[in-house]
Amino acid sequence: MVGTAFEPTQIVFDRMRSSRPYIVRFTHLILAGLMGLIVVSCGEQVDEKVQPILAEVGEKQLTLGDVLQEVPPSMLHADSVRAIMQFTDRWMAEQLWIQEAERRNLDEDEAFLEQLERAKTQLLIRYLQEKILSDRVEDRFVKEEDVQIYYQEHKDKFILNEKFLKVWMISAVTRQDAVRAREDLMRGIAREKIYEEYHSNDGTQSYRGELFHPISRLVQDLPEMKIYLKQMGRNELSPVLSFQGKYHFLQIVDIKTTDETPDLQWLLDSLQGMLVRENSAKILNSFIRSLSLQAETNRDIERMPEEKVRSLLQNADT
């Protein structure tokens, strides 16, 4: 996967043009862009025997097929030419970083080789663990019923540490619209109808009374409204307040206090993920215990007893 360059692309390209060792050619760039469009629109693969070369840096080549394997389809569908060009730019910059590092013999540096070995070890362990877990998908899977049972058995762990509110809020362009919306709500007109008629959606946080939010995270851009929010009860309305050119009021639809537990639906995904991780840990722990027992049986491993380690440390201190 091509990484992100740490220099402006234009500077990198200027260096390419001025440095003899770096041979950069775009002979097939236009053709590649057109073929990228054809591939994306028709859903066909590029012939592996005829791979247009998008760029070359030294002896390294980047083909259209390389790019199509790396760039997400969504980006190609949005703007295939731009996506291909951006990937090509990043690839070229990355190759220049690599060539410069090799020119300085950093790939032979002792500190680098030590880091490389550590990274290789960790990657190898992770790769094995992923292989083990991929073979035990059914054992890791957690049904929704299991999550419900866990939640009921551990409900005391999920008591809220602050008040949670369901809030419905209108942000109107004029004070007159905000006052009318508030009056309509008091007359019993449906919230959705009022929202569609009066609310001005300018991309800021909106509240439609559907989800619970911790009070600490509500209306963070409306400090005066937060003062009223802390004092209001269920179904109460705030006054209309002016802030940053808009007029706002809100209503508390529902409340959960600090002595209550959240609805399971709030936690379902996170609890399910947590239980899957717990199952994965159990599988890996069982696997390494089995490896340890087998190694001990075969006399492949030895470990100094704890008491001897303690004694060594004590002797070192004296």
Side-chain angles (χ1 to χ4, degrees), residues 46-62:
V46 179
D47 186 350
E48 293 184 0
K49 296 179 181 178
V50 186
Q51 285 287 350
I53 298 171
L54 299 184
E56 294 183 17
V57 178
E59 296 180 358
K60 297 291 181 68
Q61 295 181 337
L62 178 71

Side-chain angles (χ1 to χ4, degrees), residues 85-97:
M85 293 293 291
Q86 287 179 341
F87 187 94
T88 302
D89 290 348
R90 291 196 300 272
W91 177 86
M92 293 167 68
E94 183 179 77
Q95 297 308 311
L96 289 177
W97 281 110

Side-chain angles (χ1 to χ4, degrees), residues 39 56 87 100 102 127 140 145 156 164 249 251 281 296:
V39 169
E56 294 183 17
F87 187 94
E100 179 61 18
E102 291 175 345
Y127 190 66
R140 296 168 57 217
E145 294 82 358
D156 57 319
F164 276 65
F249 77 92
Q251 179 184 40
E296 288 176 0

Side-chain angles (χ1 to χ4, degrees), residues 111-121:
F112 168 75
L113 293 174
E114 288 177 0
Q115 291 184 43
L116 183 63
E117 188 61 31
R118 285 198 295 272
K120 177 184 174 182
T121 299

Side-chain angles (χ1 to χ4, degrees), residues 56-109:
E56 294 183 17
V57 178
E59 296 180 358
K60 297 291 181 68
Q61 295 181 337
L62 178 71
T63 68
L64 179 60
D66 297 330
V67 177
L68 295 179
Q69 287 180 356
E70 295 288 346
V71 178
S74 58
M75 292 180 65
L76 289 171
H77 282 293
D79 189 339
S80 58
V81 172
R82 183 180 180 187
I84 290 170
M85 293 293 291
Q86 287 179 341
F87 187 94
T88 302
D89 290 348
R90 291 196 300 272
W91 177 86
M92 293 167 68
E94 183 179 77
Q95 297 308 311
L96 289 177
W97 281 110
I98 293 170
Q99 285 193 2
E100 179 61 18
E102 291 175 345
R103 186 186 69 79
R104 299 185 183 194
N105 294 321
L106 295 181
D107 54 331
E108 299 176 7
D109 186 85

